[in-house]
Amino acid sequence: MSAAVLSAPLAEPAPLAAAQAIEARFEPMTLERLDAVLAIEQAAYSHPWTRGNFADTLAAGHQAQCLLADGELLGYFVAMPGFQEVHLLNITVAPAFQRQGWALVMLDALALWSRGQGAEWLWLEVRIGNARAQKIYLKRGFARVGVRKGYYPLGHGEREDAVVMSLRLLEQV
């Protein structure tokens, strides 16, 4: 995915002013960006990915993109291509930029890239307790297709189920 410039309205425009647009672009996630990625990951999750998780996914050649605006990291996603499908492994918006539409921008970019790879399906798992994320996925056309029991760690030896969701990327023939 090459750098692309995108814009999204600010969530809370200034009083009596029209919504401003922020220009953002995608750039590949690199080892040099991992400190910034990890800072967001640790701020956003109770059980964040580790530096090793990100380094491994980069070494494996997974699709890993950072969304940047004015030199600041807004968010990122990591996806693993497979045969006629792509599996979203991680999508995160920096807490300071949540509820501004950036998750939708990243999902749209991922879907576009996936279609370009010939994928017919986009798959993901989301914590069963993460209703906000599920709402975002449903808004983009994902469907709930199953549950993975005990998929996510909760702490103290407990586990949380994951909702499996999929999005059909290609029109049915």
Side-chain angles (χ1 to χ4, degrees):
M1 178 178 285
S2 62
V5 177
L6 308 161
S7 64
L10 291 173
E12 298 175 4
L16 305 174
Q20 300 173 347
I22 297 174
E23 285 192 1
R25 68 187 182 287
F26 284 99
E27 292 184 8
M29 185 183 292
T30 62
L31 290 173
E32 293 75 28
R33 286 203 171 104
L34 286 191
D35 286 342
V37 167
L38 284 168
I40 290 171
E41 184 78 5
Q42 291 167 354
Y45 299 116
S46 61
H47 292 83
W49 276 26
T50 66
R51 179 178 297 277
N53 295 136
F54 283 106
D56 288 349
T57 202
L58 293 176
H62 295 160
Q63 177 67 355
Q65 293 290 315
C66 292
L67 182 61
L68 301 132
D70 295 327
E72 191 159 7
L73 181 59
L74 305 180
Y76 49 86
F77 68 82
V78 176
M80 179 177 63
F83 180 70
Q84 297 181 335
E85 66 182 30
V86 171
H87 192 114
L88 178 60
L89 302 175
N90 186 324
I91 184 167
T92 305
V93 176
F97 296 100
Q98 291 179 0
R99 299 182 186 263
Q100 297 179 16
W102 297 114
L104 298 173
V105 169
M106 289 193 292
L107 284 171
D108 289 348
L110 176 59
L112 182 64
W113 177 83
S114 299
R115 284 184 187 102
Q117 302 303 303
E120 296 179 15
W121 292 93
L122 185 53
W123 294 90
L124 62 86
E125 292 90 12
V126 59
R127 286 181 183 272
I128 202 159
N130 192 344
R132 194 171 90 185
Q134 289 179 51
K135 185 176 177 181
I136 291 168
Y137 298 135
L138 291 169
K139 185 174 186 174
R140 273 303 180 259
F142 282 82
R144 292 181 181 108
V145 296
V147 172
R148 294 190 198 277
K149 296 287 185 187
Y151 188 78
Y152 289 108
L154 266 178
H156 305 339
E158 295 185 27
R159 311 282 301 176
E160 182 175 11
D161 295 346
V163 175
V164 179
M165 301 182 84
S166 67
L167 174 67
R168 177 88 169 143
L169 295 171
L170 301 178
E171 296 299 320
Q172 293 186 358
V173 183

